Amino acid sequence: MRRTITRLGPWQPHDEGLNQIILLLLLDNLPFSTVIRVQIRMQLLHFSLFDDFNNYLAFILSRAKDVPVEIRKVAGLLLKNGLMDVYNLIEPEHQQYIKLQLLYGLGEADQHIRSTCGTTISNVVQQGGISGWPELFHTLLHFLNSGDPNRNGGAMDALSKISENTPELLDSDDAWSGQRPINIFLLELFEFFHSPHANLRKLSLRFVNKYIISMPSGLYTSKNKYLDGLFLLANEPDAAVRKLVCTALLQLVEFHPSVLEPRLKDVIECMLQLNKDNNDVLALEACGFWSKYWDAQIPPENLREYLPHLTLILLSNMAYPNDDDLLADAEVIDAKEDESIPDRYQDLKPQLPCSDEDDDTCTICNLRKCSASALDVLSNVFGAKILLTFMPIIEANLSATGDEAWRDKEAAVLALGVIARGCINGLYPRLSEIVASLIPLLDHKFTLIRSTSCWTLSQFSKYIVQDSGNKKGYEQFDMVLTAFLQRISDTNKLVQGAACSALAILEEEAAEKLAPRLKEILQHLMHPLGEYQKRNLRIICDAIGTLVDAVGEELDQALRSIEFSQFTEHLFSRCITIIEAQQQLAKAHPFSDKDFITCSLDFLSGLTGCFHNGIESLVLQSNLRDMLLKCCRDGAPDVRQSAFGLLGDLARVCPIHLHPRVPEFLYLVVKQLKIPKFEKTISVANNACWAIGELAVQVPQEISPFVATVISCLIPILHQSEGVVKSMVENSAITLGRLAFVCPDLVSPHMEKCMQSWCISLSTTRDGIEKEDAFKGLCAMVKANPSVAQSSLVYVCKAIASWTKIWSTELNTEVCKVMHDYQQMLTNEAWDKFMSDLDPLVKANIAKYLV
């Protein structure tokens, strides 16, 4: 039987036992040696064996005012932890004593004591339920009405913790005499929005906000009272309270926009105020309101009268702060990305040092991007309507002189790029003037103005190219191109990357218009390749790849006139050295920088794609094959993604180099495709799937042993196409077609399982050489398995109808033969009925293959 240290009658602490426990708690809080601390803990453990030990702890926590607060908190922590294990085993009279002491402690002057009591009360309710403490809610309501700020705060703290641990309890009909406690408490808490005590205003608002999403009836019926309180607290000196107001309005517009619509004018004015708050964290959160506003499909006209004010605030938030002179020469440093910000603005890399230890800096960066994103939305919704009041401010900032005005100038440049798409109808008549004002800024003394001007000009690329058909327009296009090429060799890394990105966008739009200057472009792109590091090296590789896609056959002619072989050999060797060194480093340091390997692999892919013949001899002389195999096998997901991409490129250019390790590569490639394993590394699986298709075309004899396994992986992807990334489905359909073409006998037996889903995927695949390869396989399957083909005739026709034009004469002939074979397989009556039931658009599109 457990012993007791109590006396007879109503429980009271025994002085000797109380003093002994307090002394042990004091000693336990002193910096004694480990041995002594163990002895102290053993004595405390001895006292815990007594039935009323928790009573002593409750007394010390709530009533021992002459004991230091830290020691009382320790007693409360021991009490909380002890009750979690044995509360329901404690004698009822001891339970009652503990509960009374905890309620008493809620009125203590020290906030830490109140908080500890609130936490313990929540745990008691969690253990024994409200039925075991029926007077609790009445007591908490009494405390809220007591006029005592300590009891007010203690009651709110306890309610808040009860709502966290057992949220259903406060919103249940059975919890309090048939009433929902939350509805009663909400009415009381609304009154504290007007409390003279800042802490009570904050506690009450924080508690009410917890119930926005569930929206109990007490909150809904009092929504105007709640909103009035929010608008009042938006002027609170404490930024934490203003942030709670902002959070509340964001949740309301996202989950219950109808609650806001009758008070929309007040809501918008409140959010405008918060959006320009001096606290950058709060301003950033408030900036997210506008995207949620559009998502809620609230009529945009409600915002029209506030456009001048809102655009001005957003422009102000897009400017860097005045208290950081380091910005003028900022380098590009990767920062945390915000998933709520569209990809277009993720490219506006923060130009401030940004790390895990520097949250304020990251907040400034994301406030800038979030404001740009909001302005983009406004420009797309309202179009040129925002220009009337917005453009005079932009023009004034652009024309400002003096070093002190550079931040406003840079923000104005950024804003022009942001509204380039949405407001183009209003900007297009002045395009020449706008471009002419931006080009000189590419030579500006301040780094950020040069880099942002590159980005903004790139946003107008489509329209600059459109105007290049006339002499004046072509001259301006030529000036922009020249300026981008010059900035590629800028002394600042940030500007280098911005210029490469801008050039890639211009290349994509200009295409064959670049042919006259192709030699010059290549020279500018090649020159910095030996100097660029990591991120910029990847960006310039992208620019090279985009150029290849844009000019096509013109590239070979240009390359013949450029002496690039020695330079390419140097770069190739550099990439091999980087990969080899990083792989060696990874043995000792598993978390070494994988970006170096990834970037080198991507660059080798770029070289392989650009310089087919020139790169083959370099590949054959190197140990790239073995290093690539190691990357495919042991690399992190990013490394494997790049490695499988390079594998596909090498299969196309010099497949002989992959021998005799092709089976090992194929094993690793197939391993990436198994559902559900690839779902978390979809980009890796995508490149692996593409690599299989390339290998199938180039080394069909090596692929044969793997065909059945590959198809068993591809079929589920095609069947689950709605839940898989579109590019993955496309690659699967193309790879299946390539396998079917080179190994028809091996693929044909599987067609019954996938013919229809394969045709559906092919019907949504873009026209191109890879689609032609896939259709060669489809035609081969129709020949090899006519019965399955006939049962899928509708789907085959839809796939064929998806072509805009088949450029390959050979494939066009094969498709025509397939359609005629189908026609011969059916009787005239059956064929006529099939054609009459076919979708009219499909019927029209396949008609040319039946002539």
Side-chain angles (χ1 to χ4, degrees):
M1 177 180 290
R2 298 183 66 183
R3 294 168 293 171
T4 180
I5 54 175
T6 62
R7 57 180 65 141
L8 296 175
W11 194 92
Q12 291 295 326
H14 191 288
D15 289 344
E16 182 181 355
L18 179 64
N19 291 332
Q20 285 180 330
I21 293 173
I22 291 173
L23 178 61
L24 287 173
L25 294 177
L26 284 166
L27 293 173
D28 191 47
N29 207 40
L30 295 176
F32 288 122
S33 67
T34 303
V35 174
I36 295 177
R37 291 179 70 86
V38 169
Q39 292 174 352
I40 294 170
R41 297 286 172 86
M42 291 299 293
Q43 292 184 60
L44 281 171
L45 181 62
H46 166 73
F47 277 110
S48 71
L49 297 176
F50 291 91
D51 290 340
D52 50 2
F53 177 67
N54 287 317
N55 295 32
Y56 279 89
L57 294 177
F59 180 88
I60 295 169
L61 170 64
S62 299
R63 293 185 182 269
K65 299 183 186 295
D66 55 341
V67 174
V69 169
E70 287 301 316
I71 303 306
R72 295 171 67 186
K73 284 169 57 182
V74 171
L77 181 62
L78 289 173
L79 175 64
K80 182 197 74 166
N81 293 337
L83 293 181
M84 288 179 67
D85 297 326
V86 301
Y87 178 76
N88 290 320
L89 302 176
I90 296 174
E91 295 179 14
E93 58 268 29
H94 291 332
Q95 288 183 353
Q96 188 63 24
Y97 180 84
I98 292 168
K99 290 188 288 189
L100 287 173
Q101 301 314 308
L102 291 174
L103 289 173
Y104 180 85
L106 288 181
E108 274 290 282
D110 188 273
Q111 186 267 332
H112 297 292
I113 300 298
R114 297 198 303 270
S115 177
T116 304
C117 288
T119 301
T120 310
I121 286 171
S122 174
N123 287 343
V124 169
V125 172
Q126 193 172 15
Q127 295 293 318
I130 196 62
S131 60
W133 200 346
E135 70 276 16
L136 174 62
F137 286 160
H138 289 286
T139 305
L140 294 179
L141 184 62
H142 171 70
F143 281 8
L144 289 176
N145 288 311
S146 66
D148 179 352
N150 293 330
R151 285 188 166 187
N152 296 157
M156 289 184 207
D157 188 272
L159 284 169
S160 179
K161 286 163 180 170
I162 291 171
S163 72
E164 290 172 3
N165 285 351
T166 52
E168 70 286 349
L169 193 60
L170 287 170
D171 200 15
S172 169
D173 288 331
D174 302 325
W176 195 2
S177 304
Q179 302 181 76
R180 291 180 180 266
I182 187 60
N183 292 334
I184 297 171
F185 286 123
L186 282 173
L187 292 175
E188 298 298 328
L189 290 166
F190 287 146
E191 300 302 321
F192 285 96
F193 289 179
H194 305 274
S195 171
H197 303 283
N199 188 52
L200 296 182
R201 297 194 296 271
K202 179 162 63 177
L203 285 173
S204 59
L205 180 55
R206 180 179 293 149
F207 178 83
V208 175
N209 284 1
K210 292 174 183 288
Y211 287 88
I212 290 176
I213 296 176
S214 62
M215 190 60 68
S217 59
L219 182 56
Y220 184 78
T221 56
S222 303
K223 55 183 179 293
N224 281 325
K225 192 171 188 177
Y226 178 40
L227 290 173
D228 287 337
L230 291 177
F231 301 144
L232 173 70
L233 294 174
N235 299 300
E236 178 73 27
D238 186 353
V241 175
R242 300 198 304 275
K243 191 172 186 300
L244 287 170
V245 172
C246 182
T247 300
L249 292 173
L250 285 169
Q251 289 188 340
L252 285 168
V253 76
E254 181 175 2
F255 296 103
H256 303 286
S258 61
V259 169
L260 296 182
E261 288 198 54
R263 305 288 301 275
L264 208 51
K265 182 175 181 179
D266 294 328
V267 172
I268 292 172
E269 290 176 353
C270 181
M271 292 310 302
L272 287 171
Q273 175 184 327
L274 295 173
N275 209 162
K276 61 180 180 180
D277 198 279
N278 290 331
N279 184 290
D280 290 321
V281 175
L282 174 53
L284 172 59
E285 185 169 350
C287 195
F289 175 83
W290 311 111
S291 62
K292 293 183 184 296
Y293 182 100
W294 308 124
D295 292 342
Q297 298 183 338
I298 300 173
E301 291 304 312
N302 294 312
L303 197 57
R304 185 184 293 275
E305 66 178 289
Y306 299 100
L307 285 177
H309 192 188
L310 176 55
T311 52
L312 185 59
I313 291 172
L314 295 176
L315 180 63
S316 175
N317 286 344
M318 287 157 61
Y320 282 109
N322 293 322
D323 57 356
D324 196 336
D325 294 330
L326 294 176
L327 285 166
D329 295 309
E331 295 286 357
V332 61
I333 300 178
D334 288 340
K336 301 173 186 174
E337 291 191 355
D338 186 337
E339 293 181 359
S340 67
I341 299 172
D343 290 342
R344 184 181 176 209
Y345 300 105
Q346 298 290 6
D347 290 339
L348 294 175
K349 287 291 183 182
Q351 290 90 24
L352 288 164
C354 191
S355 65
D356 291 340
E357 293 77 25
D358 197 359
D359 290 337
D360 290 341
T361 294
C362 289
T363 297
I364 294 169
C365 298
N366 283 334
L367 175 60
R368 169 180 166 87
K369 292 190 288 184
C370 192
S371 299
S373 178
L375 182 59
D376 184 17
V377 172
L378 286 177
S379 70
N380 280 285
V381 172
F382 293 100
K385 295 183 181 69
I386 72 171
L387 297 179
L388 184 63
T389 56
F390 193 52
M391 279 306 291
I393 302 170
I394 297 294
E395 290 168 348
N397 288 353
L398 286 175
S399 61
T401 57
D403 289 355
E404 69 283 354
W406 79 264
R407 290 173 175 82
D408 291 335
K409 184 189 289 286
E410 191 272 344
V413 173
L414 174 60
L416 270 178
V418 168
I419 66 174
R421 302 180 189 180
C423 296
I424 191 59
N425 289 337
L427 295 174
Y428 191 76
R430 303 174 57 185
L431 179 63
S432 178
E433 176 187 344
I434 292 170
V435 173
S437 68
L438 291 172
I439 291 175
L441 297 181
L442 295 173
D443 292 315
H444 200 278
K445 65 181 287 188
F446 286 108
T447 296
L448 297 184
I449 291 181
R450 298 201 303 276
S451 65
T452 304
S453 297
C454 286
W455 182 83
T456 293
L457 276 168
S458 74
Q459 302 306 298
F460 288 101
S461 289
K462 177 180 178 180
Y463 312 104
I464 293 172
V465 172
Q466 282 181 4
D467 278 2
S468 64
N470 59 73
K471 182 180 178 182
K472 185 177 179 181
Y474 184 80
E475 289 175 354
Q476 195 162 67
F477 161 73
D478 197 59
M479 290 173 64
V480 171
L481 176 59
T482 299
F484 285 167
L485 293 175
Q486 290 172 345
R487 293 279 65 80
I488 285 174
S489 298
D490 196 279
T491 56
N492 184 275
K493 294 179 183 178
L494 172 65
V495 182
Q496 293 169 0
C500 288
S501 295
L503 178 63
I505 295 172
L506 185 66
E507 288 171 346
E508 197 168 5
E509 296 292 343
E512 68 279 355
K513 292 182 183 291
L514 299 172
R517 298 190 59 182
L518 194 52
K519 178 179 178 180
E520 180 187 356
I521 295 170
L522 283 170
Q523 287 172 333
H524 276 86
L525 288 173
M526 287 180 180
H527 176 70
L529 281 175
E531 302 170 3
Y532 278 13
Q533 297 290 327
K534 280 178 67 173
R535 181 177 180 271
N536 283 354
L537 188 58
R538 181 174 293 183
I539 295 173
I540 201 169
C541 285
D542 179 63
I544 293 172
T546 304
L547 182 65
V548 172
D549 293 338
V551 298
E553 296 178 359
E554 299 285 346
L555 186 63
D556 286 336
Q557 184 176 354
L559 290 176
R560 294 190 193 101
S561 60
I562 301 175
E563 295 180 0
F564 69 93
S565 58
Q566 186 176 359
F567 190 64
T568 305
E569 183 177 350
H570 168 71
L571 293 174
F572 184 90
S573 300
R574 179 168 175 260
C575 290
I576 296 294
T577 302
I578 289 173
I579 296 171
E580 195 169 34
Q582 290 298 314
Q583 286 181 340
Q584 290 295 324
L585 184 62
K587 292 180 181 178
H589 303 283
F591 299 103
S592 58
D593 193 346
K594 66 180 184 296
D595 284 349
F596 278 114
I597 296 182
T598 303
C599 190
S600 297
L601 291 169
D602 288 344
F603 183 66
L604 289 172
S605 285
L607 287 177
T608 304
C610 292
F611 313 129
H612 298 256
N613 297 327
I615 210 75
E616 185 174 356
S617 60
L618 297 177
V619 172
L620 293 173
Q621 294 169 21
S622 72
N623 62 338
L624 176 59
R625 178 192 60 205
D626 295 335
M627 285 192 294
L628 181 60
L629 184 64
K630 189 171 183 179
C631 290
C632 291
R633 184 182 61 234
D634 304 328
D638 288 351
V639 173
R640 297 202 311 275
Q641 176 186 343
S642 297
F644 287 123
L646 177 56
L647 175 62
D649 286 325
L650 291 176
R652 251 183 317 132
V653 175
C654 45
I656 190 173
H657 177 65
L658 300 175
H659 292 291
R661 313 292 297 264
V662 171
E664 294 174 72
F665 279 114
L666 285 168
Y667 169 79
L668 294 171
V669 166
V670 172
K671 189 177 176 182
Q672 304 302 317
L673 297 182
K674 302 204 171 165
I675 293 176
K677 288 184 179 178
F678 81 78
E679 291 177 352
K680 293 183 180 179
T681 54
I682 186 68
S683 297
V684 181
N686 213 347
N687 280 4
C689 185
W690 175 73
I692 292 174
E694 294 293 344
L695 288 165
V697 173
Q698 300 299 332
V699 286
Q701 68 280 6
E702 301 274 4
I703 202 84
S704 298
F706 294 88
V707 168
T709 305
V710 172
I711 292 177
S712 69
C713 295
L714 297 180
I715 289 176
I717 297 172
L718 296 175
H719 284 331
Q720 300 177 24
S721 59
E722 291 186 4
V724 181
V725 175
K726 186 177 186 294
S727 60
M728 184 73 207
V729 178
E730 271 193 19
N731 274 334
S732 298
I734 290 166
T735 296
L736 181 57
R738 286 173 161 174
L739 290 172
F741 181 65
V742 298
C743 304
D745 294 339
L746 297 176
V747 177
S748 177
H750 301 275
M751 280 297 101
E752 190 172 357
K753 300 177 184 176
C754 65
M755 189 69 164
Q756 294 183 4
S757 57
W758 182 29
C759 289
I760 291 171
S761 299
L762 287 176
S763 67
T764 61
T765 300
R766 294 164 294 181
D767 290 3
I769 294 174
E770 292 179 330
K771 185 173 180 177
E772 288 183 2
D773 286 348
F775 265 78
K776 290 176 183 177
L778 178 63
C779 293
M781 287 302 95
V782 171
K783 290 179 184 177
N785 208 330
S787 59
V788 172
Q790 185 175 348
S791 64
S792 304
L793 179 55
V794 172
Y795 298 94
V796 173
C797 288
K798 287 181 179 179
I800 292 172
S802 69
W803 281 97
T804 303
K805 181 180 180 180
I806 300 176
W807 291 95
S808 167
T809 305
E810 179 186 353
L811 178 60
N812 192 80
T813 302
E814 283 296 315
V815 171
C816 290
K817 189 173 187 310
V818 164
M819 291 307 301
H820 282 290
D821 288 346
Y822 270 128
Q823 193 171 12
Q824 295 298 319
M825 289 167 63
L826 300 176
T827 64
N828 290 340
E829 183 179 351
W831 178 256
D832 291 341
K833 184 177 187 312
F834 169 77
M835 292 296 288
S836 65
D837 292 341
L838 208 55
D839 179 277
L841 185 59
V842 174
K843 183 177 179 179
N845 285 345
I846 66 171
K848 55 181 172 254
Y849 304 110
L850 290 167
V851 177

